[in-house]
Amino acid sequence: MTATHESATGTAIPAGEPESAPGATPPRTPLVAKAAAELVGTAALVAVVVGSGIQATQLTHDVGLQLLANSLATVFGLGVLIALLGPVSGAHFNPAVTLAEWWTARRRGDGVTLREAVVYVPAQIVGAIAGAVLADAMFGERLVKWSTHDRSAGHLLLGEVVATAGLILLIFGLARTDRLRFAPVAVASYIGAAYWFTSSTSFANPAVTIGRAFTDTFAGIAPGSVAGFIGMQLVGAVVGLALVALIFMPGRAPAEQPAA
């Protein structure tokens, strides 16, 4: 009998084999359920980001405290959402993660399929927009008001490359080393840290970037800055995958020694 262990998403896989990145999803889960998990999860994530930003600005005028409140809420909310929805869809909530998984697993067939990716990405974008609108509704803001928060400066774009590359390196590095069970804590912690060490406050997510353009609040981004952010996030995803391939390259079996 082949020894197995349980992946981060509850799927039994043979011992000694790494989990597929960023999370092998149960094969019998209907695609509609996976899409719903990605839509609801991304909506909840953006509602947390935008809602906590609004709450923070209403409670204090200290920008540092506002960012602290915003980042802490995001850390806790993201960790809970990954733990809850990871077993259903892999809890991507991020087109960059979805496309990276499809690319890395396209030949093995053990990750997100092209069909799933085509469904996931629109679900994530719709969810992000819905989450921003929901947050505005909860705080009595206009449901849709384009953000005026310009984020087009070059150093901010560099921050998005760094933030996204680090996120991809973390997720796929955990997968390569069979540690995806730590994803809820590790990913949430990284995003919380990246709020502070990146100049862009770490959007690192094309869907979330689009959603945050719909709210003219603390977490918003001007529509004119969206394309640049998304472009740099995709560049960051490529850099992250390159780092994964470099750092976690499979070892080679030692050459057989000739008989004496």
Side-chain angles (χ1 to χ4, degrees):
M1 180 176 180
T2 303
T4 62
H5 69 281
E6 200 170 83
S7 74
T9 57
T11 305
I13 57 178
E17 291 188 14
E19 300 171 40
S20 59
T25 57
R28 294 182 185 148
T29 302
L31 182 55
V32 65
K34 295 180 181 180
E38 287 298 301
L39 189 152
V40 171
T42 310
L45 174 59
V46 174
V48 168
V49 172
V50 174
S52 63
I54 297 173
Q55 183 80 283
T57 56
Q58 291 180 353
L59 294 175
T60 179
H61 296 294
D62 187 315
V63 178
L65 288 178
Q66 291 171 357
L67 185 60
L68 178 62
N70 194 211
S71 61
L72 285 176
T74 302
V75 167
F76 294 135
L78 180 57
V80 168
L81 289 170
I82 294 173
L84 174 65
L85 299 175
V88 180
S89 66
H92 299 185
F93 315 144
N94 188 335
V97 174
T98 297
L99 294 175
E101 181 181 347
W102 166 74
W103 178 259
T104 58
R106 68 193 187 283
R107 294 194 181 114
R108 299 195 311 267
D110 60 347
V112 168
T113 65
L114 179 59
R115 177 169 174 257
E116 288 171 333
V118 168
V119 173
Y120 272 32
V121 172
Q124 292 158 354
I125 294 172
V126 170
I129 296 171
V133 172
L134 175 61
D136 281 343
M138 287 192 293
F139 287 91
E141 303 284 340
R142 283 177 53 182
L143 297 187
V144 175
K145 184 178 180 183
W146 298 117
S147 176
T148 56
H149 194 162
D150 180 74
R151 299 178 189 262
S152 58
H155 66 281
L156 300 180
L157 298 178
L158 175 60
E160 279 304 287
V161 174
V162 172
T164 311
L167 177 63
I168 296 298
L169 175 61
L170 171 62
I171 294 172
F172 288 82
L174 289 175
R176 289 285 183 95
T177 56
D178 195 20
R179 290 188 174 93
L180 273 175
R181 60 190 176 278
F182 300 121
V185 172
V187 173
S189 298
Y190 172 79
I191 292 298
Y195 257 83
W196 291 90
F197 78 77
T198 64
S199 57
S200 63
T201 66
S202 183
F203 285 49
N205 185 327
V208 168
T209 302
I210 293 171
R212 289 168 68 164
F214 283 74
T215 176
D216 192 20
T217 58
F218 180 78
I221 177 172
S225 301
V226 168
F229 260 50
I230 291 176
M232 293 302 100
Q233 289 157 0
L234 295 178
V235 170
V238 173
V239 172
L241 287 178
L243 290 174
V244 171
L246 175 64
I247 296 171
F248 299 101
M249 65 174 63
R252 296 180 179 178
E256 186 174 335
Q257 297 296 324

